[in-house]
Amino acid sequence: MRVRQLTTAAAALLLATGALAGCSGGPAPARPPVPAPVPALPTAVTGDVGPLDRAAVREGGTPRWALDAAPATLNVYQPAATADSALLAHALYPSLFRPDEHGRPVADPDYLESAECTPPGQQPQVVTYRLSPQAVWSDGIPLSAADFGAQRAALSGLDPAYAGNRPAGYDAIDSITQGAGPHEVKVTFRRPYAEWRALFGPLYPAAVTGSPAAFNRPLTDGPEPTAGPFRLSRYDPAGGRVSLVRSPNWWGDRPKADGIDFLVVPAEGRLDALDQDRLDIASLTAAVDRAGSTPAAPPTPAASASASASGSASGSGSGSPAASASGFPAATASATPAATPAAPPAATPAAPPAAAPEAADRALRRAEALPGITVHRAAAAALTELTLNAARGPLTDPAVRLALARAVDRRRVAGAALTPLGLAAAPLGSHLFAGDQDGYRDNSAALGPADAGRLLDAAGWKRPAAGATRVRDGRELALALLVPAGSATARRTADALTADLAGAGIALRTVAAPAEAFVRDHLATGDYDLALFSWPAGPHPAVEQRAVYAKPRPGADGALEAGSNYGRSGTEEIDRLFDRAAAELDPAAHLALLQEADTRIWQLGHSVPLYQRPDLVAVRSDVAGAGAWGFGRPRFQDVGFLGP
């Protein structure tokens, strides 16, 4: 299950989604007609990994892979987990499904021979997993129903003694039993759950999840059963090293490398480390984007609410941006506004208009010139959006939000952000799917044909003179745009947005906030007008994205609780569409519900999708099986060195 998480300036992590509500019966309320969507062929390419011929990869050697920090835990379901936790976990533990290059979950044959779900409409829903008979934990015990049952108990929320996150779906399970043989597992659901492929990835052994005491340990303090191509041989957080070696019990393709050394190297030191031959694989997104800015602290549990079970494939800093790898903060679904919001600190001054981009250009040119290094580029599986705070100032008026969305030239903005990095200027037209993701469709036509100026005129915001800022009741239509401090991509994006909105008579003032304050002091408290950050694009948007657009509800004290809906706008209808999609087992009907939900989000003026976050990964030219993975993730047994 992909779990969302806040990211810091050096790491782009995914955010924790809340538990999924059940389906709501009854007819849908009346609604305005939906404009015909505009189909668009994907133009963003998520993934840049060189073609692999295992025969050309020699046996032996130990690639060196950059981390932001030695993770505090290898259990991705614990609050202290980070994207680095997830990266390592995928080398050590099974995932029954893995996303392909278009974000489609496909069975991993090393662990799963087949998985069959009862047909749509047949109740109860039962999924039958047939595990590979060769799949065993490192202690020799085969993977079995006991592991499934223990993980469900740990993550269902039924026992609060388990100090973990609550990924969606486990609470929908009614029972788990052994099937016709020891390698068959039957999972019966108490309610239909379409995203069942998101479950049990990674899967931990019952020895790790079978009790709260076992589950709450970090898995870094001693030998624990694993079931991946590698096993943990050294965990040295003080020395900044986590080492893996080949697992002698691995049954699949023999790993090409003897092991992998994961080394803690901050983003600002990676170009030097590559130049000095101290690294072979390193995400450079943050190193380029934040070149010349004050180095950020490594990710910590306080900044990272929960881990991404699918993780940041290219290592730290290649997931979503918030105060992240590309500088954009990824809001956390588990973050909630403080009961008594602290007074926001003074915003960190932004770099001079050209300083951050110029430094980023120099860093990219240096990376491209490093001898023996290839810079892989891709559109990451993360959606950069302009979020509109519907609970503040002029943006409380839906007409103003729609006018602002109409005023944004998304292709121009995408070009400003991506072209300097050598990526296609591919604008997004969906809140829920990335451009190269299966199911993507541009639904931006839902904004309607009305010109932004006419919408603002009708809302009472008039221009006193040509080119002037609009005014109503003596007040200018002036808004503050919150961006992550020190990010060149954010600066370029902000400049393009400022020009677009000025054309419609909206004045924009950029406010830069440091990573540690972006969510805590601004998004979570509502202290912003517009905000630039990213959300992950996962294979299961019905559950992964629901909390982002869920209608805010009154809390016990009567105050509105936004949760992870930082735009603070939502409707009962959108909630129902997500819930219906999560329970719809027919793939075509499931996708149709998500497209309708996206259309309604456009019409609400919640946010404006802009582009997919850029991803830059440096790989030594004699290293195979590595690059910018996009939706995919490393097949660790293929990573190695080319040569005879």
Side-chain angles (χ1 to χ4, degrees):
M1 167 71 205
R2 188 179 291 249
V3 185
R4 295 189 181 275
Q5 138 180 34
L6 164 65
T7 67
T8 71
L13 314 182
L14 303 181
L15 316 176
T17 53
L20 178 70
C23 293
S24 174
R31 55 182 181 267
V34 181
V38 180
L41 293 175
T43 54
V45 177
T46 51
D48 176 19
V49 181
L52 177 73
D53 176 7
R54 279 182 57 88
V57 183
R58 65 178 172 84
E59 294 276 335
T62 303
R64 300 156 299 175
W65 199 317
L67 294 180
D68 283 322
T73 179
L74 296 178
N75 183 339
V76 302
Y77 303 112
Q78 292 179 349
T82 64
D84 289 328
S85 302
L87 177 68
L88 292 165
H90 283 302
L92 300 170
Y93 297 100
S95 286
L96 304 184
F97 293 87
R98 54 187 298 134
D100 69 6
E101 65 273 17
H102 296 293
R104 296 170 296 212
V106 295
D108 188 332
D110 285 329
Y111 303 107
L112 188 62
E113 289 189 342
S114 66
E116 298 175 359
C117 182
T118 49
Q122 181 175 322
Q123 298 296 327
Q125 177 189 357
V126 178
V127 176
T128 302
Y129 299 89
R130 293 179 179 86
L131 304 176
S132 168
Q134 297 176 295
V136 297
W137 299 105
S138 54
D139 57 8
I141 298 176
L143 276 64
S144 70
D147 304 309
F148 284 66
Q151 185 150 316
R152 180 255 178 174
L155 300 178
S156 65
L158 297 176
D159 186 348
Y162 287 92
N165 300 307
R166 301 286 179 257
Y170 289 95
D171 62 338
I173 296 174
D174 184 58
S175 65
I176 296 177
T177 58
Q178 179 178 305
H183 306 297
E184 186 174 286
V185 179
K186 288 186 175 291
V187 177
T188 302
F189 290 82
R190 61 167 49 96
R191 64 176 185 266
Y193 189 67
E195 308 289 19
W196 55 270
R197 294 175 184 82
L199 304 174
F200 307 111
L203 176 69
Y204 289 90
V208 167
T209 58
S211 70
F215 180 86
N216 296 340
R217 290 184 296 111
L219 307 184
T220 59
D221 54 0
E224 302 289 350
T226 57
F230 292 90
R231 64 176 178 83
L232 185 67
S233 66
R234 178 182 178 185
Y235 181 77
D236 179 14
R241 181 187 299 266
V242 179
S243 298
L244 309 184
V245 296
R246 284 191 189 121
S247 171
N249 291 349
W250 177 245
W251 57 93
D253 290 337
R254 175 179 169 83
K256 288 293 186 177
D258 293 326
I260 302 175
D261 275 345
F262 291 92
L263 307 176
V264 176
V265 180
E268 64 272 13
R270 290 186 184 178
L271 289 174
D272 287 341
L274 288 163
D275 193 22
Q276 296 162 10
D277 195 19
R278 293 187 285 114
L279 283 175
D280 300 305
I281 305 167
S283 171
L284 292 184
T285 314
V288 169
D289 186 64
R290 304 181 63 82
S293 66
T294 303
T300 64
S304 299
S306 61
S308 161
S310 62
S312 167
S314 22
S316 313
S318 65
S320 33
S324 92
S326 76
F328 300 114
T332 169
S334 62
T336 54
T340 306
T348 300
E358 287 178 357
D361 290 342
R362 288 194 298 271
L364 180 57
R365 288 195 298 270
R366 182 188 175 195
E368 293 169 334
L370 288 174
I373 295 294
T374 299
V375 177
H376 293 259
R377 295 170 168 85
L383 314 181
T384 299
E385 299 182 353
L386 178 67
T387 294
L388 286 61
N389 185 355
R392 178 158 135 163
L395 296 176
T396 57
D397 184 347
V400 175
R401 298 199 304 272
L402 290 175
L404 188 149
R406 292 284 301 173
V408 174
D409 183 341
R410 291 176 294 115
R411 184 168 296 280
R412 178 173 179 270
V413 171
L418 302 178
T419 301
L421 300 175
L423 288 163
L428 278 174
S430 173
H431 296 82
L432 307 181
F433 294 94
D436 205 32
Q437 186 174 2
D438 190 44
Y440 174 82
R441 191 176 75 184
D442 186 338
N443 291 314
S444 60
L447 285 173
D451 174 74
R454 288 200 298 270
L455 288 171
L456 291 171
D457 285 340
W461 293 94
K462 307 292 186 179
R463 269 190 149 153
T469 300
R470 292 179 180 271
V471 177
R472 189 180 75 177
D473 300 329
R475 178 184 178 186
E476 285 192 334
L477 185 51
L479 303 172
L481 171 62
L482 180 69
V483 301
S487 165
T489 304
R491 167 60 61 185
R492 291 173 174 134
T493 303
D495 289 347
L497 288 170
T498 300
D500 282 350
L501 298 186
I506 303 172
L508 208 57
R509 174 177 59 90
T510 299
V511 176
E516 64 276 9
F518 197 97
V519 173
R520 183 195 65 209
D521 296 335
H522 297 281
L523 295 187
T525 64
D527 180 32
Y528 76 98
D529 295 322
L530 306 171
L532 188 64
F533 60 96
S534 297
W535 287 109
H540 311 283
V543 294
E544 293 166 350
Q545 304 273 17
R546 187 197 191 281
V548 180
Y549 303 104
K551 181 180 178 180
R553 309 285 178 178
D557 60 355
L560 208 62
E561 293 186 348
S564 52
N565 182 348
Y566 297 122
R568 291 168 168 79
S569 62
T571 67
E572 300 285 354
E573 183 189 11
I574 291 172
D575 290 354
R576 271 195 298 272
L577 288 167
F578 274 109
D579 290 343
R580 289 172 59 196
E584 178 54 70
L585 301 183
D586 178 78
H590 171 84
L591 180 58
L593 288 165
L594 290 175
Q595 300 294 7
E596 189 173 356
D598 183 45
T599 296
R600 301 291 174 235
I601 295 167
W602 273 108
Q603 293 172 335
L604 185 64
H606 175 281
S607 49
V608 183
L610 299 174
Y611 52 81
Q612 286 173 244
R613 184 188 66 72
D615 194 14
L616 307 175
V617 181
V619 180
R620 203 160 294 281
S621 300
D622 64 345
V623 172
W629 280 271
F631 279 106
R633 59 173 177 251
R635 191 170 187 265
F636 288 95
Q637 55 266 52
D638 293 342
V639 177
F641 293 97
L642 298 169

